[in-house]
Amino acid sequence: MVVIARRLAGHLARGVVMILVVATISFFIVRSIPGDPIAAHTQKLIEQGMAPEAAEQATRVLYGFQATGSLWEQYGDYVAGLLTFDLGQSVTHAGAPVTEVLGEAAKWTVLPVLAGTLLSFLVGIILGVYAAVKRSGKLGDVLAVSGSLLHGVPQYVLGLLLSAIFATLIPILPGDGPVDILYEPGFNAGYIGSLAEHAVLPVATYTLAAYGGWVLAMKSSVVTVLGDDFILAAELRGMKRSIVFRYIARNAILPLFTILALSLGLLLGGAVFIERIFNYPGLGLLLIESITMRDYALMGGAFLLITVSIIVANILADLFYSVIDPRVRSGEEVSA
């Protein structure tokens, strides 16, 4: 336990440094992007028919919270805000705190991507085991080919295909938005059913996009385990095939848990194309909007949230692997 605590403390210290470095880099990169959001908003109001003087006045009122001073002074204020979890205010959401905007968008991203990732993981590892055990038969060939094909297709292509088939050609599922506006938000059957119905295509896209990688990775891991001495010894002792099968699956799946944890860390930033296709108001769509409108605070907050999720996933993956793999624990005890 002492060794695990030391490892956790080391991870946290490195994580804080990495977050500060990424926050610094993103701060200066974001503000080096060409374009002036204030001038763009003024021009937009003028194009809508507002007089130039009135447009400038309205823009000053809206952007009155914008940071002033030199770039280094703004950076100092930004770092000070990070210590109190204050990421600034969004210019595209009428001055709303960035943390609130990100929190509202994250709920639309986390649930579909989490569901798709876990579903693809479960299906992929099960079929990956069969693809390895039956690799000399037709079933193994079919599973391996399906994994290779889906692994090579980009997410947005799968999303467009599913949308075209099930929302246009055979319109049995909604392909736009997160929920039907006819239902009153709340814990009621109509609203929850609409949420689930609208989530089918995004979740299916995430599942199919990740399925191929899990099948191929699990097959490769199982094939490696099949050559280990303990499997041969178990077969020579006459153990039941089901017991040997569990040994194979348990040892082959260990490396994939680390990949799963890292995949969950990337889920906050990996939904840009899918959310654009299905018009899902999550972090991906929010990030596109912030880049288009030059919303510096929102861009920086989104990048920082993605960074933090990846760092946390790395820490959890390392600690989780230490828990599930007795070889790692025994190595810790020896080193201690």
Side-chain angles (χ1 to χ4, degrees), residues 3-236:
V3 175
I4 294 179
R6 289 177 180 172
R7 175 176 291 186
L8 177 60
H11 280 310
L12 291 176
R14 287 191 293 272
V16 171
V17 174
M18 290 175 62
I19 290 172
L20 181 59
V21 170
V22 171
T24 300
I25 295 174
S26 64
F27 175 87
F28 288 103
I29 289 180
V30 163
R31 281 156 181 78
S32 66
I33 297 177
D36 185 349
I38 298 178
H41 188 268
T42 302
Q43 183 62 34
K44 181 179 179 181
L45 293 179
I46 294 175
E47 291 174 355
Q48 293 174 352
M50 188 177 291
E53 296 79 7
E56 292 178 1
Q57 177 61 28
T59 302
R60 281 196 296 270
V61 172
L62 178 61
Y63 288 79
F65 55 84
Q66 282 287 83
T68 58
S70 67
L71 186 61
W72 288 105
E73 290 174 343
Q74 294 180 34
Y75 173 69
D77 295 336
Y78 175 69
V79 173
L82 288 180
L83 300 178
T84 58
F85 301 99
D86 180 8
L87 301 179
Q89 295 170 279
S90 169
V91 299
T92 55
H93 291 78
V98 169
T99 51
E100 292 184 6
V101 177
L102 292 175
E104 180 66 22
K107 69 180 183 182
W108 295 108
T109 295
V110 171
L111 293 180
V113 182
L114 182 62
T117 302
L118 294 180
L119 184 59
S120 66
F121 177 74
L122 292 175
V123 175
I125 61 174
I126 293 173
L127 296 183
V129 172
Y130 280 99
V133 175
K134 305 291 186 180
R135 62 188 181 279
S136 58
K138 292 184 178 179
L139 177 60
D141 291 339
V142 170
L143 292 174
V145 170
S146 68
S148 298
L149 289 176
L150 289 175
H151 186 58
V153 179
Q155 279 188 352
Y156 64 88
V157 174
L158 289 173
L160 290 172
L161 286 175
L162 291 178
S163 179
I165 294 172
F166 296 106
T168 304
L169 296 178
I170 310 174
I172 58 176
L173 290 170
D176 185 74
V179 67
D180 197 317
I181 60 174
L182 298 177
Y183 294 102
E184 183 71 22
F187 193 73
N188 57 79
Y191 184 74
I192 295 175
S194 181
L195 284 174
E197 188 180 28
H198 281 73
V200 170
L201 288 181
V203 170
T205 303
Y206 293 127
T207 302
L208 291 175
Y211 156 81
W214 293 124
V215 168
L216 297 177
M218 190 63 182
K219 178 186 176 183
S220 176
S221 185
V222 170
V223 170
T224 301
V225 172
L226 285 173
D228 289 345
D229 293 337
F230 75 93
I231 297 297
L232 178 60
E235 292 177 344
L236 291 176

Side-chain angles (χ1 to χ4, degrees), residues 231-271:
I231 297 297
L232 178 60
E235 292 177 344
L236 291 176
R237 287 200 301 268
M239 283 190 177
K240 294 182 179 180
R241 190 168 184 81
S242 60
I243 297 177
V244 176
F245 189 83
R246 287 202 298 269
Y247 281 162
I248 295 172
R250 180 179 178 182
N251 284 271
I253 202 175
L254 288 178
L256 271 69
F257 274 113
T258 302
I259 303 175
L260 175 62
L262 296 178
S263 299
L264 295 178
L266 292 169
L267 65 84
L268 295 182

Side-chain angles (χ1 to χ4, degrees), residues 259-333:
I259 303 175
L260 175 62
L262 296 178
S263 299
L264 295 178
L266 292 169
L267 65 84
L268 295 182
V272 174
F273 296 111
I274 306 304
E275 290 181 357
R276 188 73 180 89
I277 292 170
F278 297 105
N279 196 28
Y280 235 69
L283 287 170
L285 207 59
L286 187 69
L287 186 57
I288 294 176
E289 175 190 333
S290 66
I291 294 174
T292 303
M293 299 302 296
R294 302 296 188 268
D295 192 337
Y296 297 146
L298 192 55
M299 265 192 286
F303 292 145
L304 185 63
L305 180 59
I306 294 170
T307 301
V308 171
S309 66
I310 295 173
I311 292 174
V312 171
N314 273 277
I315 295 174
L316 293 179
D318 183 77
L319 296 178
F320 186 62
Y321 199 82
S322 301
V323 172
I324 63 176
D325 192 343
R327 293 170 298 183
V328 176
R329 293 201 302 270
S330 63
E332 290 174 348
E333 292 171 0

